[in-house]
């Protein structure tokens, strides 16, 4: 760099070395050097992408987003920039409307642009697992509704009050799952629903989580539909399914993390 102080490639190479060194104390220096590279070569998308990476590590998300968008303006085919911008959107998914959908779009675009991009594929798998894991709360709420709503019929009460409670439980159970389905449908862009489903079917942790949630959901429906089955259906099958779902949550999460690509 002393021999060619205006050669942006040297600054970029140094910034990458500093960024990948693993030394947190050098992250600010990596960012400063990356900014110099971008100032010397404003027309190169890779220079702006590196600014985004180094700013991202410093948790300067506003600068990182601006840098990634600049890189994409210069090179719309940059799968890495699409992926990293989508990661920023995931970080804002609870605070910014439409951020979750934007993240899904970004990861899908990155995966389509570079079929060998394992990071984008893993991020999509993580989103699919998150959808399945999030449904566990609906399944648990449905279990509570089904058990409480069928106390009367399961204890031999065949009066009007017991029938009304059973009807309310059936309605609440249907509303829970319908509401969850509509919410997911609203969050996930239409063009991504089929690809996401196909991806989920090929990811064992997602399949395992979905099966565990689905079995508990079916159990709740059976309790409401067949209250005469009594304690055998509620306790004999419900308790193992409940604990099985909780165990599956932790095991599938660990299995998903093992699929994370190594940081190159």
């Amino acid at each position: 760099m002393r021999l060619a102080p205006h050669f942006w490639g040297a600054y970029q190479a140094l910034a990458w070395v500093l960024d990948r060194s693993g030394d947190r104390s050098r992250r600010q220096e990596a960012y400063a050097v990356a900014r110099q590279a971008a100032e010397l070569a404003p027309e190169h998308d890779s220079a702006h992408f590196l600014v985004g990476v180094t700013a991202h590590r410093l948790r300067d998300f506003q600068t990182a987003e601006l840098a990634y968008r600049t890189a994409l303006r210069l090179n719309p085919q940059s799968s890495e920039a699409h992926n990293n911008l989508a990661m920023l959107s995931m970080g804002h998914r609870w605070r910014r409307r439409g951020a979750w959908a934007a993240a899904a779009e970004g990861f899908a675009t990155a995966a389509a642009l570079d079929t060998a991009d394992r990071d984008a594929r893993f991020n999509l798998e993580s989103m699919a697992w998150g959808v399945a894991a999030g449904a566990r709360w609906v399944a648990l709420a449905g279990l509570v509704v089904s058990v409480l709503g069928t106390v009367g019929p399961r204890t031999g009460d065949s009066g009007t009050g017991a029938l009304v409670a059973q009807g309310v439980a059936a309605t609440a159970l249907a509303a829970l799952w319908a509401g969850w389905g509509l919410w997911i449908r609203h969050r996930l862009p239409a063009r991504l629903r089929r690809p996401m489903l196909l991806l989920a079917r090929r990811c064992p942790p997602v399949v395992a989580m979905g099966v565990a949630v689905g079995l508990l959901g079916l159990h709740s429906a059976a309790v409401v539909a067949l209250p005469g089955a009594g304690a055998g259906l509620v306790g004999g099958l419900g308790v193992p399914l409940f604990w099985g779902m909780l165990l599956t949550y932790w095991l599938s999460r660990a299995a998903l993390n093992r699929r994370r690509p190594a940081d190159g």
Side-chain angles (χ1 to χ4, degrees), residues 114-234:
D114 183 1
T115 56
D117 189 341
R118 297 177 61 226
D119 287 308
R121 183 181 179 85
F122 172 78
N123 288 330
L124 280 173
E125 290 177 343
S126 297
M127 294 189 78
W129 182 87
V131 171
R136 76 190 188 279
W137 298 111
V138 184
L140 290 172
L143 179 63
V144 173
V145 166
S146 66
V147 171
L148 295 180
T150 58
V151 170
R154 281 188 286 108
T155 56
D157 186 359
S158 59
T160 304
L163 292 176
V164 170
Q166 183 181 356
V168 170
T171 302
L173 192 62
L176 278 171
W177 285 106
W180 178 81
L182 288 173
W183 183 59
I184 293 300
R185 182 182 178 84
H186 175 72
R187 292 185 82 191
L188 190 62
R191 78 173 188 88
L192 294 182
R193 289 169 194 160
R194 180 174 173 78
M196 187 77 95
L197 179 61
L198 293 174
L199 181 78
R201 288 169 56 185
R202 299 190 184 100
C203 181
V206 178
V207 172
M209 193 68 239
V211 168
V213 169
L215 287 175
L216 191 61
L218 288 174
H219 170 266
S220 299
V223 168
V224 173
L226 305 169
L233 184 60
V234 174

Side-chain angles (χ1 to χ4, degrees), residues 45-66:
D45 64 283
S46 60
H48 294 283
F49 174 75
L50 183 53
V51 171
V53 170
T54 53
H56 202 155
R57 293 201 195 281
L58 290 171
R59 302 185 68 80
D60 184 353
F61 301 132
Q62 185 174 0
T63 298
E65 180 175 352
L66 179 61

Side-chain angles (χ1 to χ4, degrees), residues 30-140:
Y31 170 69
V33 176
R35 288 294 298 264
Q36 288 181 283
E39 289 172 3
L40 290 170
E43 74 283 2
H44 286 271
D45 64 283
S46 60
H48 294 283
F49 174 75
L50 183 53
V51 171
V53 170
T54 53
H56 202 155
R57 293 201 195 281
L58 290 171
R59 302 185 68 80
D60 184 353
F61 301 132
Q62 185 174 0
T63 298
E65 180 175 352
L66 179 61
Y68 292 145
R69 292 193 183 281
T70 301
L72 286 174
R73 178 173 54 79
L74 295 170
N75 178 17
Q77 304 302 309
S78 173
S79 64
E80 291 180 319
H82 279 290
N83 181 75
N84 286 21
L85 186 59
M87 289 178 65
L88 284 179
S89 295
M90 276 296 288
H92 296 305
R93 64 188 181 279
W94 301 116
R95 300 186 299 274
R96 185 182 298 175
R97 184 180 179 86
W100 194 89
E105 289 271 11
F107 292 141
T109 300
L113 287 171
D114 183 1
T115 56
D117 189 341
R118 297 177 61 226
D119 287 308
R121 183 181 179 85
F122 172 78
N123 288 330
L124 280 173
E125 290 177 343
S126 297
M127 294 189 78
W129 182 87
V131 171
R136 76 190 188 279
W137 298 111
V138 184
L140 290 172

